Amino acid sequence: MAASEQIIQAFQALPFATSIALGSLSVLFFVFFVRKFISKQRMESVKLPPVPEVPGIPIIGNLLQLKEKKPYKTFTKWAETYGPIYSIRTGASTVIVLNSADVAKEAMVTRYSSISTRKLSNALKILTSDKCMVATSDYDEFHKMAKRFILTNVLGANAQKRHRCNRDTMMENISSQFHSHIKDYGLQAVNFRKIFESELFGLAMKQAVGKVVESIYVKEIGATLSKDEIFKILVLDAMEGAIEVDWRDFFPYLGWIPNKGVEMKIQRMHSRRQAVMNALINEAKRRIASGKELNCYSDFLLSEANSLTEQQISMLLWETIIETSDTTLVTTEWAIYQLAKDPTRQNRLFQEIQAVCGSHKFMEENISQIPYLGAVFHETLRKHSPAPVVPLRYVHEDTEIGGYFIPAGSEIAINIYGCNMDKKQWENPEEWNPERFLDDKYDPADLYKTMAFGAGKRVCAGSLQAMLIACTAIGRLVQEFQWSLKDGVEENVDTVGLTTHKLHPLHAIIRPRNYHGENIRPTS
């Protein structure tokens, strides 16, 4: 009988419980629609970035217009019509493109807290071990710690003083090889990149692992690799993989569909890179265990950075190698190309160097004494910025940039190329004109005259080193050699894929200057 009464009571209570449930559900629906209404009203009242006309299939968005290899140039053209900030559709994503220094700096500095996370392509997720690098990590505790490590040990001012001897040795080697070329081949064109790139990679290895590694046995590959093979795996292959386009990046909801060709290519690059890095780190471990420590990044990471995993150590060490080896090459090669193409400006730089150095070798200490050299450096960065587009950032909360409402979930693309080609800021931006940087409005000590090094909390950690290496190399090579272009080379200005890397290595004819300072001690 007791059981029967409980059942009856339960049925009697059911309508009441159902009423409560339905009432609660009604309240939830009411709140939901009120929020949607408010959100819609807000969207109608705010100013959204303009959207370029989308031809073809709507779901693809503006991707058809970006199918060529230089999207940053398309972005810049659109800016002339739609202004410095506009919104595009790339498959499933909305990307806000910034094309002027003002809105770029606002995003990087003022609105930074709202867009401090990175949005990586599938290829970069693999190649960076899912953001285990300073350049690609989110702005979190790992990023702050890793940036502090790299500044303290490799790229900061004090670290650069400790590594000065390595840079001096690099310049002596470069100078010696160009002189040897003249002696052996006369006026035959020299491959600038082949010499400079090899020595720059040697510097990167010294800073990373304490020495130039001429060869190393890699267990996973089952072979002893030469310096050139190591360079290809650690730098060239990785740069190629970083710009690999996977259509699934634009349609993440179709990520379950395999793309075997791209996947296998990137995974192979990653595995071979990791195998070489393991070999370098294991060699460093054996050296440290034997009691021989060196002034290099590997020794610090292995001895002091106890909170890092083996993978993070590998990635942070590799980051210094690829960034030292790559971006400075781009700037220096383009600067020498522009000077070789323009004898008048090259002679002006030579005369200013001679006025300061006389018969002494040009050294790092002389950089600040020659304003025109700084102008050549900054103008080359402006016209040939090593990174034309900053890796995408993710907007994780509603914000505002350039007077436009930017909803959460958008992505931000900062078009550095567009910023540096902005006709409202730069007169005749297509021209290479160093004299523009001799204007009094520019602070001679300011490395950030252009957007090439970024701005704000994520400003490039390697800017000082890039300036020291590039300016010293340009100054020294113009002091010792007269540069001219090989016939037919002047028009070779195409670039590699999404980058501003010169597609064709610079081949130049060099003649020794009337300079006899090779054996004179540098000025203090």
Side-chain angles (χ1 to χ4, degrees):
M1 190 69 180
S4 300
E5 290 179 354
Q6 289 177 355
I7 293 173
I8 293 171
Q9 290 174 359
F11 271 102
Q12 289 175 339
L14 186 58
F16 180 70
T18 303
S19 299
I20 293 177
L22 290 174
S24 300
L25 194 59
S26 299
V27 171
L28 289 174
F29 273 112
F30 176 75
V31 171
F32 172 78
F33 283 114
V34 167
R35 286 181 175 177
K36 288 287 288 184
F37 177 77
I38 293 174
S39 176
K40 182 178 179 181
Q41 290 290 101
R42 182 183 180 190
M43 292 291 285
E44 290 175 351
S45 65
V46 298
K47 186 180 179 183
L48 294 170
V51 182
E53 181 180 351
V54 180
I57 306 171
I59 193 171
I60 295 178
N62 299 101
L63 287 176
L64 289 176
Q65 297 159 290
L66 299 172
K67 61 184 177 181
E68 86 292 341
K69 295 289 187 179
K70 308 289 186 291
Y72 52 87
K73 292 188 176 181
T74 302
F75 289 158
T76 304
K77 290 177 185 176
W78 284 346
E80 295 179 7
T81 302
Y82 300 101
I85 176 171
Y86 52 80
S87 173
I88 64 173
R89 292 287 298 175
T90 57
S93 303
T94 298
V95 179
I96 312 299
V97 186
L98 310 182
N99 296 275
S100 77
D102 289 340
V103 293
K105 288 178 180 177
E106 182 180 353
M108 290 178 169
V109 181
T110 309
R111 309 298 180 186
Y112 185 78
S113 61
S114 301
I115 55 171
S116 60
T117 56
R118 287 293 197 202
K119 184 78 171 181
L120 301 184
S121 65
N122 289 329
L124 282 177
K125 285 178 184 176
I126 296 171
L127 291 173
T128 67
S129 293
D130 198 13
K131 304 183 180 181
C132 289
M133 293 171 59
V134 177
T136 60
S137 59
D138 297 334
Y139 189 72
D140 53 19
E141 292 307 311
F142 170 79
H143 174 89
K144 295 174 186 177
M145 174 183 64
K147 190 168 186 178
R148 184 171 66 252
F149 287 165
I150 199 171
L151 285 171
T152 302
N153 292 274
V154 183
L155 300 176
N158 290 332
Q160 287 293 292
K161 291 177 182 178
R162 295 197 303 272
H163 291 294
R164 168 68 185 273
C165 60
N166 294 329
R167 295 194 300 279
D168 287 346
T169 299
M170 180 189 76
M171 278 313 310
E172 292 301 322
N173 291 343
I174 291 172
S175 171
S176 176
Q177 289 185 62
F178 282 124
H179 280 293
S180 294
H181 173 87
I182 294 174
K183 180 180 178 182
D184 296 338
Y185 301 103
L187 294 181
Q188 288 187 32
V190 63
N191 185 332
F192 172 86
R193 185 185 301 178
K194 184 176 180 181
I195 292 175
F196 192 81
E197 187 175 63
S198 177
E199 290 300 324
L200 196 56
F201 180 60
L203 172 68
M205 295 297 283
K206 284 183 180 179
Q207 291 183 159
V209 297
K211 67 176 183 177
V212 178
V213 179
E214 297 295 342
S215 65
I216 192 168
Y217 178 75
V218 181
K219 179 181 177 182
E220 293 88 340
I221 296 176
T224 298
L225 304 182
S226 67
K227 178 185 173 184
D228 288 344
E229 290 171 321
I230 296 170
F231 176 74
K232 184 177 186 307
I233 291 173
L234 295 186
V235 180
L236 296 183
D237 289 351
M239 290 302 301
E240 178 186 345
I243 61 175
E244 186 69 41
V245 176
D246 184 340
W247 59 266
R248 296 174 303 178
D249 290 330
F250 306 108
F251 304 97
Y253 48 78
L254 298 179
W256 54 273
I257 300 176
N259 190 0
K260 291 295 184 183
V262 172
E263 287 177 2
M264 291 177 64
K265 180 179 179 180
I266 300 301
Q267 284 292 352
R268 184 173 183 272
M269 289 177 174
H270 169 68
S271 298
R272 288 171 64 82
R273 186 269 313 274
Q274 192 59 53
V276 173
M277 290 307 303
N278 288 342
L280 292 172
I281 290 173
N282 288 335
E283 186 175 274
K285 286 180 178 179
R286 288 191 292 270
R287 173 176 48 75
I288 294 172
S290 71
K292 186 178 180 181
E293 296 190 16
L294 297 174
N295 172 29
C296 62
Y297 199 28
S298 63
D299 288 35
F300 169 82
L301 291 175
L302 291 171
S303 302
E304 303 296 332
N306 300 322
S307 61
L308 297 178
T309 65
E310 290 280 338
Q311 184 64 22
Q312 288 172 332
I313 289 174
S314 175
M315 291 304 303
L316 293 178
L317 195 59
W318 173 71
E319 182 177 20
T320 66
I321 294 173
I322 190 170
E323 291 182 357
T324 299
S325 302
D326 180 68
T327 53
T328 308
L329 166 68
V330 177
T331 303
T332 310
E333 186 173 30
W334 276 118
I336 295 297
Y337 165 84
Q338 294 287 3
L339 290 167
K341 188 173 119 176
D342 192 334
T344 301
R345 287 189 166 108
Q346 182 182 164
N347 187 59
R348 174 177 178 175
L349 179 58
F350 172 71
Q351 295 299 333
E352 292 196 15
I353 290 171
Q354 287 302 95
V356 171
C357 299
S359 60
H360 295 281
K361 291 179 183 179
F362 178 87
M363 304 292 283
E364 288 183 5
E365 292 81 2
N366 304 125
I367 294 174
S368 62
Q369 300 170 298
I370 305 173
Y372 195 64
L373 175 59
V376 167
F377 173 69
H378 287 291
E379 176 66 350
T380 304
L381 279 177
R382 184 197 66 80
K383 184 166 172 55
H384 305 286
S385 178
V389 180
V390 173
L392 294 179
R393 297 185 184 182
Y394 183 76
V395 181
H396 58 262
E397 63 182 10
D398 292 350
T399 188
E400 183 180 304
I401 299 175
Y404 291 101
F405 172 71
I406 310 298
S410 305
E411 296 172 31
I412 299 289
I414 299 175
N415 184 15
I416 299 297
Y417 175 87
C419 294
N420 291 334
M421 290 290 164
D422 184 359
K423 293 178 182 178
K424 294 180 180 178
Q425 181 177 1
W426 308 101
E427 183 179 355
N428 299 320
E430 291 294 335
E431 294 182 9
W432 186 78
N433 177 20
E435 285 74 14
R436 73 173 85 238
F437 282 102
L438 297 178
D439 193 295
D440 290 339
K441 67 181 179 181
Y442 295 112
D443 179 359
D446 183 12
L447 278 175
Y448 307 102
K449 294 178 173 70
T450 67
M451 291 300 297
F453 293 121
K457 295 178 180 179
R458 292 202 77 110
V459 70
C460 178
S463 57
L464 174 60
Q465 176 172 271
M467 184 273 293
L468 291 174
I469 294 175
C471 287
T472 304
I474 296 165
R476 180 77 176 272
L477 294 176
V478 168
Q479 181 189 46
E480 296 190 14
F481 307 99
Q482 181 181 346
W483 295 79
S484 58
L485 295 178
K486 176 184 174 182
D487 289 344
V489 169
E490 182 172 339
E491 300 307 316
N492 289 345
V493 294
D494 199 5
T495 56
V496 179
L498 301 171
T499 73
T500 55
H501 289 60
K502 204 171 182 300
L503 177 61
H504 305 284
L506 171 61
H507 285 82
I509 297 169
I510 54 176
R511 296 174 174 85
R513 300 273 192 186
N514 183 20
Y515 165 74
H516 304 286
E518 285 82 4
N519 297 316
I520 298 176
R521 294 182 64 82
T523 54
S524 59

